[in-house]
């Protein structure tokens, strides 16, 4: 699992603290090393951490100390960043779907960088955040992503060109394009495909008097769950080669917006087995019900999209395993975590056993409902 010394630190924490309910613990040193590894892989990129992946104040503060910028999706995230002393110049409002009142508030708070992907949003920004830097999100292929972000966001490159031309007339500062190749993107080649799609537009707009200074290549860098994903160095290399190929010596300033890569493998959840049962006496597959499920932090198990490694606390390495269906505790049949994918857990597993769900630092606490069926939201400690 490649968690090595991380396990020791988090193991010690769980050994010294017991929780009645599922609990996520984040290793801040792992967050920091992920950040610095990404910078080493892509030294020319400016990193905007995607706050939505995990907005724990201690994570944001640690990243701030390392020089990170921040990409936010809402006024609440903007205020959180500002409250931690992150300067407004280090924050972008990257959601392409913003309420008018939120744009006004963000502008009052000093935010001067906004994403858009439509004419109406552009007009809103021109009116409510006059003179700001804006970048247009384009639609790109998300094949290879385990959690795609396609077709809801972005517009065609042709439309992007028209809107960027218009933006200058509206008194805004068009700085560039953005795209996102999909979250947990397992193919390093998808950034090259996206660059192939958009590079002509930079040249084209330059000929028309608009020089775009920046290119936002989004997030999508993966956490190593079960499957073998390429290393961050391989992503860095693929992106660097793609930039060289499509822009040569005239590469714009590069922004990346990692979320999952920064925090995913820095977190482990400890949860509890509530029940182990069978539907028929002879069934080989047992149902294992946990006190955490789709509604209490593991929303990315929908369609079994993200497959977190699961281990049981205190079992010897040679414990005999058997197949299981893993499910959450709520009275909703959507609340099944893994049924098709073949998870194996010890044959002597029983209620009360503690389990660890690994690499759960990203998109867990924030996806947890505030109390569906009365189950509490996922709590978190940073160490
Ligand atoms: C969610 C999101 C990200 C982060 O994506 P990851 O796959 O977690 O790296 C970055 N940018 C935007 C605009 C997003 O919506």
């Amino acid at each position: 699992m490649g968690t090595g010394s991380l396990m020791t630190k988090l193991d010690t924490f769980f050994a010294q603290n017991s929780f009645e309910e599922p609990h996520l613990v984040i290793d801040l040193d792992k967050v920091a090393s992920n950040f610095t590894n990404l910078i080493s892989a892509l030294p020319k990129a400016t990193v905007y951490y995607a706050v939505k992946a995990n907005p724990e104040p201690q994570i944001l503060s640690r990243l701030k100390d390392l020089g990170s910028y921040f990409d936010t999706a809402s006024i609440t995230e903007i205020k959180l960043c500002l409250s931690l002393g992150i300067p407004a110049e280090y924050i972008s409002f990257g959601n392409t779907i913003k309420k008018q009142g939120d744009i006004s508030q963000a502008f009052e708070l000093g935010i001067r960088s906004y994403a858009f992907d439509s004419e109406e949003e552009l007009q809103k920004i021109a009116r409510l955040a006059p003179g700001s830097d804006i970048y247009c999100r384009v639609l790109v292929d998300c094949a290879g992503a385990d959690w795609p972000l396609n077709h809801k966001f972005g517009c065609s490159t042709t439309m992007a060109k028209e809107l960027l031309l218009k933006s200058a007339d509206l008194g805004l500062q068009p700085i560039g394009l953005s795209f996102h190749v999909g979250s947990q993107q397992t193919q390093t080649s998808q950034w090259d495909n996206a660059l192939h799609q958009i590079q002509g537009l930079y040249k084209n707009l330059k000929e028309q008097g608009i020089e775009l200074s920046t290119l936002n290549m989004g997030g999508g860098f993966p956490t190593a769950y079960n499957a073998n994903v390429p290393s961050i160095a391989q992503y860095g290399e693929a992106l660097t080669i793609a930039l060289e190929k499509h822009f040569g010596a005239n590469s714009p300033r590069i922004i990346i917006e990692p979320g999952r890569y920064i925090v995913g493998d820095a977190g482990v959840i400890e949860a509890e087995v509530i029940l182990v049962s069978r539907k028929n006496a002879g069934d080989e597959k047992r149902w294992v019900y946990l006190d955490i499920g789709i509604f209490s932090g593991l929303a990315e198990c929908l369609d079994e999209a993200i497959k977190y490694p699961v281990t049981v606390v205190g079992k010897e390495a040679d414990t005999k395993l058997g197949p299981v269906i893993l499910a959450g505790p709520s009275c909703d049949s959507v609340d099944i975590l893994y049924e098709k994918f073949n998870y194996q857990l010890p044959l002597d597993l029983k209620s009360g056993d503690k389990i660890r769900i690994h690499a759960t630092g990203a998109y867990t606490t924030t996806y947890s409902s505030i109390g569906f069926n009365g189950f509490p939201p996922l709590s978190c400690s940073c160490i």
Side-chain angles (χ1 to χ4, degrees), residues 66-217:
L66 292 167
S68 184
Y69 289 67
F70 296 87
D71 182 60
T72 60
S74 68
I75 198 72
T76 310
E77 286 185 356
I78 290 171
K79 286 180 177 167
L80 172 62
C81 288
L82 292 170
S83 76
L84 297 170
I86 295 163
E89 307 85 74
Y90 277 65
I91 302 170
S92 63
F93 201 164
N95 194 337
T96 53
I97 304 154
K98 298 176 284 298
K99 286 180 120 172
Q100 301 193 42
D102 291 352
I103 300 175
S104 303
Q105 257 197 81
F107 189 70
E108 267 168 42
L109 292 169
I111 308 303
R112 295 292 180 271
S113 175
Y114 298 85
F116 75 100
D117 64 5
S118 67
E119 160 116 38
E120 188 174 3
E121 191 74 10
L122 181 65
Q123 298 282 1
K124 275 155 58 178
I125 299 168
R127 197 156 24 89
L128 304 165
S132 291
D133 287 352
I134 45 132
Y135 52 97
C136 187
R137 179 146 170 196
V138 291
L139 268 167
V140 297
D141 192 358
C142 288
D146 288 341
W147 194 259
L149 301 165
N150 53 351
H151 83 270
K152 178 173 174 185
F153 308 103
C155 60
S156 70
T157 15
T158 314
M159 183 180 274
K161 181 182 158 192
E162 285 161 18
L163 293 177
L164 285 166
L165 282 168
K166 184 169 246 170
S167 69
D169 299 335
L170 291 169
L172 292 163
Q173 304 293 328
I175 63 161
L177 295 183
S178 70
F179 61 80
H180 195 302
V181 293
S183 200
Q184 188 68 11
Q185 176 54 260
T186 55
Q187 298 173 4
T188 59
S189 58
Q190 277 306 350
W191 282 266
D192 178 66
N193 291 341
L195 292 191
H196 176 74
Q197 179 190 322
I198 56 124
Q199 58 143 9
L201 201 122
Y202 276 74
K203 260 191 233 141
N204 213 289
L205 280 174
K206 193 174 176 182
E207 284 155 19
Q208 304 199 40
I210 294 187
E211 190 143 6
L212 298 175
S213 61
T214 307
L215 172 61
N216 181 334
M217 309 218 313

Side-chain angles (χ1 to χ4, degrees), residues 261-281:
Y261 175 76
I262 301 289
V263 287
D265 66 355
V268 173
I269 291 171
E270 188 169 279
E272 192 177 308
V273 174
I274 302 181
L275 177 70
V276 181
S277 69
R278 288 179 165 87
K279 302 294 175 198
N280 287 295

